[in-house]
Amino acid sequence: MASSFSQISTIPLSIHNIGKSFGKQSVLSDVSLDVNAGELVCLLGPSGCGKTTLLRIIAGLEKQDSGRLMMGPRDISRAHPQDRDYGILFQSYALFPNLTVAQNISYGLSTRNLLRSEMRERTEQMLELVGLSAIANKYPGQLSGGQQQRVGLARALAPSPSLLLLDEPMSALDAKVREHLRHELRSLQKNLGITTVMVTHDQDEAMVMADRIALMNQGRIEQFDTPENIYRNPATPFVANFIGQANWLDYQSTSQGKAHLGPLSLSLDNIPDGGPGRLFCRPEALRVDNLPQASNSIAAQIVDKLFLGNRYRLTVALEQLEDQHLVAEISTDLTAMPLNTGRIWLTLPSHSLQAFPGAAA
Amino acid sequence: MTSVQHIQAEPAQRKALLKTASAQQLDFLFTRGVKALMVSFVVIGLALPLIAMLGKVFDVEGGLNGVWQMLTSSRFMWLVGNSVKVSLSTVALVVPTAYVFAYALQRSWIPGKSLLRGIALLPLMAPSMLSAIALIYLFGNQGLLKAWFPDGIYGFSGIVLGQVFYNFPMALMILISALGMADARLYDASVSMGANHWKTFLNVTWPGTRYAVFASSCLVFTQTITNFGIPVVIGGDYQVLAMEAYKSVVGQQKFSEGALIGSILLVPALISFAVDLWMRKLRGSQVSSQAPTYVAPSNRLRDSILLLAAAAVAIALLSLVVMAVAASLINFWPYDLSFSLRHYDFESSGGVGWLAYRNSLLLASLTAVVGTPVIFTCAYLMEKTSSGWLDGLLRLLCMLPMAVPGLVMGLGYVFFFNSPSNPLNGMYGGIGLMVVCCIMRFLTPAQMTATTALRQLNEEIEAASLSLKVPLLTTYRRVTLPICLPALLEVFRYLFVSSMTSVSALIFLYSPDTILAAVAVLNLDDSGNIGASAALSSLILLTSAAISLMLYGLSRGLLRHTQLWRA
């Protein structure tokens, strides 16, 4: 297709030491983040962690108290929103209700010295891109939630921004539509190669969509890493608790690669000698047998058993540690043994145990 | 999701950057400029006149000692006593009646709600004197039902009845909106716990509306104590403070005394304003926006009683209006009851009637045409943009008109604009200053209407358009205004009708060429020409009602036309 448009520019975004407070309350403190060109980074965290504020600062809709923002080589720390070259998709989509789908999409093109034919051509491209050509003349109020989201996306992308910001884009959708649109949005972003920052409080969404996740808590980034690393090697107890399910065991001291928990000792792959702390382990890493294994096997009683289709979720009480319960998830296929109440042997593989020294609950 | 390779950027990057730079300047000018203009407008149109009036108090003979003597004189105490008595009686009659009426409109299944509502709002369409004129025709010396008031209608009972009529719709509107907001879940909970109607009312309805009852009581009290049109017409020998202030400035040229009474009348207004603000804060958002709205179940007994009560009130209100209009069409009350239009030629009054009517139309149109865009744009910028300290100042200034009664504002204008040392002195007596005065007087309620409409819009529309590099002014024009058109028409209607019927401030500002209809009503009655006075009141009433109906029709048509996207 003959066109006067050039390829979208993929540029990195870097955020240096951003600080922000509303009155006395600090919302962001010393937040730094480097987003690579073409990458999708999720800002994930509980409500009130500052993720939306950070996105609004990137968009220039809030002013940071300190710190710098760079878009490629450009310092945009003090630039007005109009000067920043990004497209944004809001949680509410913020479509213009009195304009048609096509008029919504071409809204940002009207100020760009384009010929009428160029504008129309571009609008048609965008309609096609999000698969809405058939409903170009409808009004937002006549569309489904998923369609509205696509209009919002097409409107944001129409002026060819170098950066795409997504503010909880899925939260207004039904669970079923959400699943489908996650994949659609992700593959569109990948194909365009546009640098993207997305805010979400939904860990599944972040896991499925992000190249890297910045997990935030109380105005700080707890960990910035790939979904896999965040899940497998949480940097802090908060991360471990926030993503997936976690088991915790308090220990009193460590020596010679072992953590000592009252009468028990468990070996870990990586542990320096030291004082008390907490051990962390995912439920699916635990093994359940009716005989003790070579190492790290503990006698336990099954307290509760839930059948979840593809797996069982067992709650077990450790015999040697009073009031200590652990949760184990085991595949229904792999379990030959009858899981009734009574003694079992719980194995905590040394490679799946992680120690957080000093972090006693 | 195809043809990804077509997603491309434009070449004219530099051109676009230049363009956004100028768009930013435009936005800056638009936001700051309008806000700064508005600040200076309110300062000149309200703050300075108010200060001028307060300053005038010190001109009282004998200084502070003189002020003290005046305040403690037996005549002054008598005036204060009369004013308070009238105002409290009015509150006691208006608020309970309006509550029942509002309850009938919002919490029942009675028929004819929109008719009842329309009748109840009629008093707002005419100057306050209309009720007093009608009362004289009904119960006065030559009245139809003179026997109802053996002691005569002139005086306390006449003033109170007139005030009740005039204040009813204002109290009603506050109570209607309060009774319209109710969380259905609370009612379900109450009923499921076995509470009867009366208990539910005490435990759910009353707590949800008592603030509105208090707010409407404050409003009615303030309105009544500062109104002088009704006492001038029907007060007879029974005098009140507001009338005294009017007479001392207009009749006797005793400016400092007028200023002193004006300052005193500011006190209840300021108190009720402060209490209102405090209550708003206290209440916060009592009903969350997600709460399902309560719809009262039908109940035949309750609905019959409510219908009877509401109909009785509506008939009483309507009969006063009908009386005034009918009286204006009768040749010579009560001796010759034949139909005649002779009161409408205003000949006995030197033909001032039609001039005044034309002036009023001009004033009302100018106020609405100028005021609507100014007030709406100001509300928009206050709601959707931030400009640091300017916002706080503007917010404060825009609340101020609410706390200043019309009488006080008018006195302030006399002292400020009529002062020879004021460079704006030339505006005094002109229609321009009256337009400014009207916009100031009705600024706060008009702005609240605008703000309410603007708050219903998606909060992120402005942010979205900024990200698309579209100037704010464009989005305001292309998106905000079209969506808010019904609210815009409502602001227009409010400004038009209010300016058409208002007397209190404007009576201090006219010159012989710019006399207004509502002012002429008072003057005609003062000179004993009650027939012409009734005719002119009816004319104002009909004009206001016609404009309101027209704008209502326009708004309805507009909604139908745009319902495709208003879904």
Side-chain angles (χ1 to χ4, degrees):
Chain A
M1 193 189 235
S3 148
S4 60
F5 297 114
S6 61
Q7 196 66 38
I8 212 165
S9 51
T10 59
I11 54 156
L13 169 75
S14 51
I15 296 164
H16 301 286
N17 314 103
I18 294 289
K20 171 79 183 172
S21 41
F22 292 121
K24 276 180 190 162
Q25 199 185 355
S26 165
V27 185
L28 292 172
S29 40
D30 200 27
V31 170
S32 296
L33 199 65
D34 277 298
V35 183
N36 297 329
E39 189 181 28
L40 193 157
V41 165
C42 265
L43 306 178
L44 175 67
S47 55
C49 72
K51 56 191 192 298
T52 302
T53 307
L54 182 58
L55 190 86
R56 289 179 69 84
I57 285 173
I58 298 172
L61 300 172
E62 299 282 354
K63 285 201 177 77
Q64 70 275 23
D65 300 334
S66 56
R68 283 192 311 136
L69 291 165
M70 303 285 293
M71 245 174 103
R74 252 186 90 208
D75 186 337
I76 55 161
S77 311
R78 296 279 153 210
H80 284 269
Q82 290 114 312
D83 244 357
R84 292 198 178 194
D85 193 26
Y86 65 88
I88 184 163
L89 178 62
F90 288 103
Q91 187 171 3
S92 63
Y93 315 135
L95 299 178
F96 307 125
N98 61 325
L99 303 182
T100 62
V101 168
Q103 284 169 331
N104 261 286
I105 293 174
S106 63
Y107 197 82
L109 302 171
S110 56
T111 53
R112 301 218 152 192
N113 288 331
L114 295 182
L115 293 176
R116 200 167 278 270
S117 61
E118 286 176 311
M119 245 173 82
R120 197 173 322 122
E121 189 185 321
R122 179 70 179 161
T123 306
E124 273 162 21
Q125 276 178 13
M126 296 315 299
L127 280 167
E128 202 179 319
L129 177 77
V130 294
L132 292 178
S133 303
I135 54 166
N137 292 317
K138 289 207 170 183
Y139 289 99
Q142 301 170 302
L143 307 185
S144 71
Q147 287 171 325
Q148 289 184 21
Q149 193 211 50
R150 291 192 223 180
V151 177
L153 191 64
R155 182 181 69 179
L157 290 172
S160 318
S162 326
L163 175 67
L164 179 62
L165 304 177
L166 306 170
D167 180 11
E168 304 253 9
M170 306 295 176
S171 61
L173 298 170
D174 295 339
K176 263 188 188 167
V177 186
R178 205 182 295 187
E179 194 99 349
H180 170 64
L181 285 179
R182 264 179 207 166
H183 294 284
E184 210 172 85
L185 190 56
R186 171 61 165 159
S187 65
L188 181 70
Q189 183 270 336
K190 259 187 180 163
N191 287 332
L192 294 174
I194 186 169
T195 313
T196 303
V197 178
M198 171 170 132
V199 163
T200 183
H201 66 270
D202 180 337
Q203 50 166 304
D204 292 338
E205 199 170 293
M207 289 286 195
V208 172
M209 294 180 70
D211 288 308
R212 284 192 290 170
I213 294 174
L215 210 156
M216 298 180 65
N217 181 34
Q218 295 184 341
R220 294 175 185 281
I221 294 184
E222 297 262 336
Q223 189 171 4
F224 181 38
D225 214 328
T226 61
E228 211 172 353
N229 278 337
I230 289 223
Y231 188 81
R232 293 225 169 122
N233 306 308
T236 63
F238 175 82
V239 176
N241 264 327
F242 189 81
I243 302 273
Q245 299 256 330
N247 283 311
W248 295 99
L249 287 165
D250 291 351
Y251 62 80
Q252 288 79 46
S253 63
T254 55
S255 59
Q256 296 156 1
K258 280 180 187 284
H260 309 293
L261 306 80
L264 294 173
S265 282
L266 293 171
S267 25
L268 275 78
D269 281 5
N270 277 312
I271 189 165
D273 292 358
R278 300 169 81 192
L279 288 181
F280 155 78
C281 182
R282 294 280 179 209
E284 67 274 18
L286 301 182
R287 282 191 54 196
V288 174
D289 301 282
N290 39 20
L291 290 170
Q293 304 296 299
S295 71
N296 285 2
S297 270
I298 321 174
Q301 301 280 339
I302 295 180
V303 180
D304 189 29
K305 182 177 79 173
L306 278 176
F307 177 65
L308 299 173
N310 57 347
R311 62 198 196 281
Y312 289 111
R313 179 176 296 155
L314 305 176
T315 306
V316 300
L318 303 190
E319 285 181 0
Q320 286 171 280
L321 292 174
E322 214 171 317
D323 287 337
Q324 177 72 62
H325 290 74
L326 293 180
V327 174
E329 286 193 0
I330 50 177
S331 161
T332 33
D333 274 357
L334 294 176
T335 319
M337 61 177 284
L339 291 165
N340 294 318
T341 41
R343 166 174 284 192
I344 51 135
W345 289 90
L346 200 63
T347 308
L348 292 73
S350 60
H351 63 85
S352 65
L353 279 172
Q354 196 177 337
F356 291 100
Chain B
M1 306 249 170
T2 55
S3 56
V4 168
Q5 62 274 23
H6 295 149
I7 304 313
Q8 294 144 345
E10 70 193 274
Q13 287 276 356
R14 269 194 23 215
K15 225 176 181 178
L17 272 180
L18 277 177
K19 214 166 170 186
T20 55
S22 70
Q24 265 172 42
Q25 281 164 5
L26 189 73
D27 277 355
F28 186 80
L29 218 66
F30 174 48
T31 341
R32 296 280 170 136
V34 170
K35 283 181 187 175
L37 270 177
M38 201 64 193
V39 165
S40 37
F41 184 55
V42 184
V43 166
I44 294 172
L46 188 65
L48 292 178
L50 205 58
I51 291 167
M53 189 201 71
L54 293 173
K56 211 74 180 174
V57 173
F58 298 104
D59 292 356
V60 173
E61 263 176 72
L64 280 179
N65 206 15
V67 170
W68 179 248
Q69 268 181 7
M70 241 185 82
L71 292 182
T72 49
S73 68
S74 61
R75 176 173 161 73
F76 192 81
M77 299 305 268
W78 179 66
L79 289 173
V80 172
N82 287 352
S83 275
V84 171
K85 229 177 349 178
V86 164
S87 305
L88 287 179
S89 311
T90 308
V91 170
L93 281 172
V94 166
V95 176
T97 322
Y99 195 94
V100 172
F101 201 95
Y103 197 88
L105 289 184
Q106 295 287 45
R107 302 281 174 92
S108 80
W109 289 85
I110 60 170
K113 280 185 186 172
S114 49
L115 180 69
L116 286 171
R117 196 189 170 112
I119 292 172
L121 296 181
L122 268 181
L124 289 179
M125 305 278 157
S128 57
M129 290 79 71
L130 177 116
S131 59
I133 292 168
L135 286 170
I136 288 175
Y137 274 110
L138 275 176
F139 307 115
N141 288 336
Q142 280 146 356
L144 274 179
L145 305 168
K146 193 183 164 189
W148 289 24
F149 289 89
D151 296 340
I153 189 73
Y154 302 94
F156 176 78
S157 26
I159 299 177
V160 170
L161 281 182
Q163 298 285 13
V164 166
F165 174 86
Y166 184 59
N167 280 291
F168 183 78
M170 292 187 244
L172 181 68
M173 284 199 296
I174 296 179
L175 294 169
I176 280 181
S177 74
L179 282 163
M181 288 183 297
D183 189 338
R185 294 170 298 191
L186 294 178
Y187 286 86
D188 292 345
S190 176
V191 170
S192 68
M193 287 187 288
N196 59 23
H197 292 304
W198 177 240
K199 232 177 163 180
T200 304
F201 178 84
L202 277 186
N203 291 326
V204 184
T205 312
W206 176 247
T209 50
R210 61 182 170 206
Y211 293 119
V213 168
F214 191 81
S216 56
S217 302
C218 285
L219 178 75
V220 171
F221 186 88
T222 313
Q223 288 282 340
T224 306
I225 208 165
T226 59
N227 176 291
F228 55 82
I230 292 169
V232 164
V233 171
I234 206 170
D237 296 329
Y238 194 89
Q239 300 191 355
V240 293
L241 268 184
M243 194 170 144
E244 182 76 4
Y246 162 66
K247 292 240 153 118
S248 38
V249 171
V250 171
Q252 306 159 347
Q253 308 279 313
K254 289 197 271 186
F255 291 116
S256 48
E257 276 177 33
L260 180 60
I261 299 177
S263 312
I264 288 164
L265 290 177
L266 200 53
V267 173
L270 283 176
I271 291 175
S272 64
F273 175 71
V275 167
D276 187 50
L277 277 190
W278 174 68
M279 284 194 155
R280 258 172 228 265
K281 216 170 186 178
L282 205 71
R283 185 176 30 171
S285 51
Q286 211 176 34
V287 178
S288 82
S289 55
Q290 281 102 34
T293 313
Y294 172 66
V295 179
S298 81
N299 176 330
R300 197 164 267 191
L301 178 65
R302 179 203 63 198
D303 288 1
S304 313
I305 295 171
L306 284 173
L307 181 61
L308 275 178
V313 172
I315 288 169
L317 293 173
L318 196 60
S319 58
L320 282 192
V321 173
V322 168
M323 187 64 239
V325 176
S328 75
L329 295 170
I330 280 168
N331 194 20
F332 194 56
W333 183 270
Y335 306 108
D336 175 5
L337 297 183
S338 60
F339 174 82
S340 158
L341 284 174
R342 77 174 181 94
H343 294 302
Y344 285 84
D345 59 21
F346 304 112
E347 250 167 31
S348 55
S349 52
V352 88
W354 288 107
L355 170 72
Y357 180 68
R358 279 195 303 275
N359 283 338
S360 273
L361 275 185
L362 180 67
L363 172 71
S365 311
L366 280 175
T367 304
V369 167
V370 175
T372 308
V374 167
I375 292 171
F376 208 88
T377 307
C378 177
Y380 173 73
L381 293 175
M382 276 167 69
E383 200 55 31
K384 307 286 181 182
T385 66
S386 57
S387 318
W389 58 271
L390 204 52
D391 290 328
L393 181 63
L394 192 55
R395 220 168 284 280
L396 191 76
L397 283 174
C398 286
M399 292 301 276
L400 198 58
M402 192 84 140
V404 183
L407 169 67
V408 175
M409 199 182 277
L411 289 172
Y413 270 52
V414 174
F415 300 136
F416 183 66
F417 289 101
N418 200 20
S419 151
S421 58
N422 190 330
L424 296 171
N425 180 270
M427 285 181 80
Y428 190 78
I431 202 109
L433 189 65
M434 296 191 196
V435 171
V436 171
C437 178
C438 281
I439 296 179
M440 277 297 108
R441 267 250 309 120
F442 309 122
L443 175 70
T444 315
Q447 200 168 34
M448 282 178 174
T449 306
T451 306
T452 308
L454 287 165
R455 287 207 177 136
Q456 284 162 5
L457 300 189
N458 188 310
E459 287 168 17
E460 279 147 349
I461 279 186
E462 280 69 32
S465 71
L466 286 185
S467 78
L468 295 166
K469 307 188 185 188
V470 177
L472 197 62
L473 192 55
T474 309
T475 304
Y476 180 53
R477 189 172 49 78
R478 269 192 77 186
V479 180
T480 313
L481 284 182
I483 300 176
C484 291
L485 217 46
L488 221 68
L489 289 178
E490 173 51 26
V491 170
F492 188 95
R493 189 201 67 78
Y494 170 74
L495 290 177
F496 187 96
V497 170
S498 304
S499 321
M500 195 79 199
T501 56
S502 172
V503 190
S504 55
L506 297 170
I507 200 159
F508 299 102
L509 302 181
Y510 73 92
S511 64
D513 292 338
T514 53
I515 185 165
L516 300 168
V519 173
V521 167
L522 201 61
N523 292 353
L524 286 171
D525 175 82
D526 226 15
S527 59
N529 203 336
I530 191 169
S533 185
L536 202 46
S537 298
S538 308
L539 217 52
I540 296 172
L541 176 82
L542 292 179
T543 311
S544 302
I547 288 282
S548 297
L549 278 179
M550 209 180 77
L551 288 171
Y552 177 70
L554 195 63
S555 185
R556 284 285 291 267
L558 201 80
L559 286 179
R560 206 172 319 120
H561 187 68
T562 56
Q563 70 178 354
L564 212 55
W565 55 263
R566 283 188 198 272

